[in-house]
Amino acid sequence: MASVTQQQIQKFHKDGFLVLEQFFSTEECDSMRSQIQKIIAEMEVPPHCRTAFSTREEEQLQAQGSSDYFLTSGDKIRFFFEKGVLDEKGNFLIPKEKSVSKIGHALHAYDPVFKQITHSPKVQELGRKLGLERPVVVQSMYIFKQPGIGGEVTPHQDATFLHTEPLGRILGFWIALEDATQENGCLWFIPGSHTNGISRRMVRAASGASTCVEFVGSEPAYDDKQFIPLPISKGGLVLIHGEVVHKSELNSSEFSRHAFTFHVMEAKGTTWSKENWLQPTPELPFPSLY
C-alpha cells in the first residue's frame, strides 16, 4: 500500500471523504470474512433479541429503541438482522448466515482478527498523517448488505449518532471486504456536505419514555442529484468525516457487499455526549488507537 499523500489529505478535508484503493490486502480481507463466518456459526440468538434492524426513523424508534439489546451492545459482539428473515416465532426463514444485517459494536475490542486490523500499523500511520493526537476507537461493525435483501441506508451523518463537542472529531474507516459496486449497494456521498454542522441527533430518551432513544431535529430532504457513488474494490478504504452526508441503496443484486467499519474520535479537547446511545463502560473504556 502506497503512503497517503498531503494532496489526498487535502482532498479529504475538501470533500469530507477519501477513497484509498488497495489499502488492505486480499489476505487481510479474507481473514476478516472467515473470522465472521466462525462468529456466525457459533451465534446463539435469544428469541427476545430478534429485532430486525432498520434505519427508517419510526421503525428505528420502535425496533431499536424498545430494545435494550441495541443500547447495551456498545461493549459486546451482538447480532442484528435484516427485515423479514424471521417468522413471528423468531425462527429463521432463510439460512442464518444470509439473515444477518450487521454485527456490532465491539469487534475491535474483543475479536483478535478485527482488533489487529483496527490497530494495524497502516491505520495508525494514516491517523498520524491526519494529525490525530489522541484517537480512541468508539465502535465497530461488520456489515453484510445481503444479496437481494440488504436494506438501504437512508442519507445520514455519522455525528447524528456519535455526537461530540466540538463537532468534527469523529472519523469513520470503512473497509470493503468485497468489491462494492452500484449494483450491490456501494456508498454514495454529497461532496463538501461536512461543513454545515448536523441537523439532527439521536439521543437517549428520558427514563420512563416508551422508547430508549429519540431523534431531536429533522433530516433535511437531500437532493438525490447531489450524491455521487463511490464504487471501490475489495481491500479499499473509504475515510468518512463524521458530518459528511452519505447513504447506500438497497442491494438488489445477487452478490453480497461485506464491509468492516469502525469509528475513531479525537479525544484531545473533546467531550463525548452523555446523551449518545453508545457509552464507554467500566468493562470497555474507548481503547486508544495508538
Side-chain angles (χ1 to χ4, degrees):
M1 174 216 109
S3 207
V4 181
T5 65
Q6 277 312 115
Q7 209 175 355
Q8 286 173 306
I9 287 173
Q10 282 165 351
K11 189 166 168 50
F12 171 72
H13 290 305
K14 176 172 158 278
D15 293 340
F17 59 85
L18 180 65
V19 175
L20 297 169
E21 288 281 8
Q22 297 178 323
F23 194 87
F24 288 96
S25 67
T26 302
E27 293 71 35
E28 286 170 314
C29 293
D30 292 343
S31 72
M32 287 186 263
R33 292 198 60 186
S34 58
Q35 187 68 358
I36 219 75
Q37 292 310 324
K38 288 189 194 118
I39 290 172
I40 290 176
E42 292 161 17
M43 164 174 86
E44 283 300 323
V45 191
H48 73 276
C49 298
R50 294 177 171 184
T51 47
F53 176 73
S54 163
T55 56
R56 292 218 173 268
E57 188 156 328
E58 51 300 347
E59 293 167 4
Q60 221 167 12
L61 294 177
Q62 168 211 347
Q64 272 169 282
S66 60
S67 162
D68 236 17
Y69 186 71
F70 170 74
L71 271 192
T72 55
S73 65
D75 62 351
K76 299 177 189 67
I77 295 175
R78 287 193 164 166
F79 304 93
F80 301 90
F81 301 96
E82 290 292 356
K83 281 187 289 202
V85 300
L86 298 159
D87 65 18
E88 56 281 8
K89 296 198 185 72
N91 298 314
F92 290 105
L93 296 167
I94 60 173
K96 68 178 182 178
E97 64 279 3
K98 293 260 190 286
S99 68
V100 186
S101 156
K102 63 178 207 174
I103 298 179
H105 288 90
L107 287 161
H108 63 281
Y110 294 129
D111 182 273
V113 172
F114 292 99
K115 186 176 192 172
Q116 192 181 0
I117 292 286
T118 303
H119 296 272
S120 62
K122 48 196 165 190
V123 169
Q124 295 175 335
E125 185 201 353
L126 181 51
R128 291 199 171 94
K129 285 247 167 95
L130 288 159
L132 302 177
E133 291 186 59
R134 284 207 334 202
V136 296
V137 186
V138 298
Q139 69 149 359
S140 56
M141 283 187 292
Y142 191 105
I143 303 169
F144 293 82
K145 203 69 153 173
Q146 300 282 5
I149 59 168
E152 69 168 331
V153 177
T154 51
H156 67 284
Q157 298 166 290
D158 292 343
T160 284
F161 306 96
L162 309 171
H163 191 268
T164 60
E165 302 269 337
L167 286 170
R169 301 303 173 92
I170 292 289
L171 183 60
F173 290 72
W174 191 97
I175 305 158
L177 303 184
E178 302 178 277
D179 293 350
T181 63
Q182 286 196 45
E183 291 68 46
N184 74 359
C186 70
L187 298 174
W188 294 66
F189 286 81
I190 300 181
S193 57
H194 59 304
T195 56
N196 307 324
I198 57 169
S199 56
R200 89 181 167 143
R201 291 181 57 187
M202 186 172 92
V203 300
R204 287 180 171 242
S207 58
S210 59
T211 60
C212 298
V213 292
E214 58 197 10
F215 285 96
V216 179
S218 59
E219 202 66 89
Y222 295 109
D223 176 1
D224 269 352
K225 291 193 286 295
Q226 289 186 282
F227 285 91
I228 62 160
L230 287 197
I232 187 166
S233 305
K234 176 176 177 172
L237 170 71
V238 184
L239 268 186
I240 305 174
H241 186 286
E243 283 110 82
V244 75
V245 177
H246 59 290
K247 67 175 183 176
S248 67
E249 305 288 344
L250 174 79
N251 180 5
S252 48
S253 81
E254 57 209 74
F255 301 101
S256 57
R257 190 223 68 189
H258 289 203
F260 175 58
T261 172
F262 58 92
H263 283 90
V264 164
M265 171 178 75
E266 168 63 271
K268 187 181 178 183
T270 308
T271 309
W272 178 258
S273 172
K274 290 268 184 278
E275 294 181 298
N276 285 338
W277 75 267
L278 175 76
Q279 293 296 328
T281 62
E283 296 74 38
L284 183 61
F286 293 149
S288 181
L289 184 65
Y290 19 89

